[in-house]
Amino acid sequence: MSHTPTQPLTVAAAVARAAQRLSSAGLAFGHGTTNAEDEAAWLVLWRLGLPLDSDLSDAPDSIAHRTVTAEEAAAVDALIDQRIQTRKPAAYLTHEAWLQGVPFYVDERAIVPRSFIAELLADGSIDDFLGEHTRRVLDLCTGNGSLAILAAMAYPEVEVTGADISADALAVARINVDKHGLAQRVQLQISDGMESLPGPWDLILCNPPYVNAQSMSNLPAEYRAEPELALAGGTDGMDFIRRLLRDAPARMSEHAVLVLEIGNEREFFEAAFPTLPVFWIETSAGEDQVLLVTRQALLGQG
């Protein structure tokens, strides 16, 4: 009895199939991708050992036409199964996250890096507030160390300290500092807020825990897979930020600035600090996610 051979599976078909499964499973995205199609492309390419920026267009020489073996297809299916069943962010499955084209190691000990501050370091948006005096940079709540590393890459003359209350997160940051060969310029320090960080600092970057209690209670499983310590900001999301803005001025140099990410909490921020003059900085998510405040402005709050 004859039978017609099945059409060989291509990379494009494997991505489409994975996207359909991810979409149907009702997953939450936001840890490196924002939709099922992009996440499917990421996971399929990673599992097949192909560059994540591979061309998946219909062009004749596109990797999209490459045949996927039965063994490879099974490996892809297993990874998609894992993503759906565990509801863990994809970055925890691949142990890799990218910010501004730079790869970082990540695992469950640290939050998946996704800060809009990375954009500002790459595009120079805050450079007008910096100068020759900008020598000592602090990345507070450094997590896996990504912003500290990007700051060191953006400003070759500065020394950077990445600080976090979590020894686990700093262990992940150590992997990344070493991976990028920056051990001479990026120090890591355990600290509860600014407690162990006397400074003086010329630039403070901070992507703190800022999610308000109501939002925390509604978080999808993907976000609950991350360390709660890195997300929960108290009733209005401002608990850590209140301490930071109180403690920072005494640890900042005269012309220092603080760049602070607050996500979707601008309303709560402005309610908590109604008279504080800040600069809202535009990012790909608009101009209410990241703000910059000077030491002088913070001192005026005293």
Side-chain angles (χ1 to χ4, degrees):
M1 177 176 139
S2 67
H3 82 262
T4 309
T6 55
Q7 196 76 9
L9 186 70
T10 63
V11 170
V15 170
R17 188 168 76 178
Q20 176 59 45
R21 293 189 61 204
L22 293 174
S23 183
S24 301
L27 303 175
F29 304 102
H31 294 87
T33 66
T34 57
N35 58 72
E37 289 71 24
D38 288 349
E39 189 138 315
W42 173 19
L43 290 175
V44 170
L45 291 169
W46 179 81
R47 183 76 283 172
L48 297 179
L50 298 169
L52 298 188
D53 59 357
S54 294
D55 177 15
L56 291 175
S57 72
D58 285 334
D61 56 350
S62 164
I63 203 83
H65 306 298
R66 173 191 176 286
T67 299
V68 176
T69 68
E71 189 179 4
E72 288 175 328
V76 166
D77 284 343
L79 181 60
I80 301 301
D81 285 343
Q82 191 183 11
R83 173 69 178 91
I84 291 169
Q85 287 161 13
T86 66
R87 289 298 206 266
K88 288 181 180 178
Y92 285 160
L93 306 182
T94 66
H95 294 305
E96 190 171 68
W98 294 72
L99 271 183
Q100 296 300 311
V102 179
F104 296 99
Y105 173 84
V106 69
D107 62 33
E108 280 91 339
R109 292 174 293 174
I111 193 171
V112 177
R114 50 184 178 276
S115 175
F116 291 110
I117 294 173
E119 296 178 13
L120 310 182
L121 295 173
D123 68 17
S125 292
I126 60 173
D127 288 5
D128 286 349
F129 293 93
L130 312 179
E132 285 298 311
H133 65 279
T134 310
R135 294 290 173 181
R136 300 192 68 201
V137 177
L138 171 64
D139 174 27
L140 185 60
C141 307
T142 195
N144 81 333
S146 50
L147 289 183
I149 288 163
L150 290 174
M153 291 176 169
Y155 309 118
E157 305 302 313
V158 306
E159 290 183 4
V160 185
T161 296
D164 206 288
I165 193 173
S166 165
D168 278 348
L170 289 175
V172 178
R174 166 56 56 204
I175 293 170
N176 283 310
V177 169
D178 292 346
K179 170 187 171 89
H180 289 288
L182 286 167
Q184 297 303 308
R185 291 184 48 224
V186 179
Q187 309 302 314
L188 298 173
Q189 169 78 46
I190 196 156
S191 183
D192 181 355
M194 300 288 290
E195 257 178 37
S196 306
L197 303 164
W201 305 102
D202 305 314
L203 168 63
I204 300 175
L205 309 172
C206 186
N207 182 20
Y210 54 64
V211 183
N212 70 72
Q214 177 67 44
S215 296
M216 279 299 295
S217 68
N218 296 326
L219 283 180
E222 282 83 352
Y223 292 86
R224 291 200 300 274
E226 297 182 293
E228 184 180 342
L229 192 65
L231 296 170
T235 304
D236 64 352
M238 294 297 120
D239 285 5
F240 183 94
I241 293 167
R242 282 188 186 86
R243 283 179 56 210
L244 171 61
L245 299 195
R246 180 195 72 210
D247 295 345
R251 295 167 172 83
M252 295 167 78
S253 59
E254 184 184 357
H255 300 294
V257 295
L258 163 66
V259 178
L260 180 66
E261 183 155 340
I262 56 157
N264 298 313
E265 309 290 352
R266 178 170 178 168
E267 191 178 332
F268 283 116
F269 180 87
E270 291 181 333
F273 310 101
T275 62
L276 179 64
V278 304
F279 298 91
W280 292 96
I281 304 186
E282 186 149 1
T283 70
S284 60
E287 52 182 43
D288 56 3
Q289 304 265 327
V290 179
L291 62 93
L292 180 146
V293 60
T294 65
R295 176 174 182 264
Q296 282 89 339
L298 290 172
L299 285 171
Q301 293 290 289

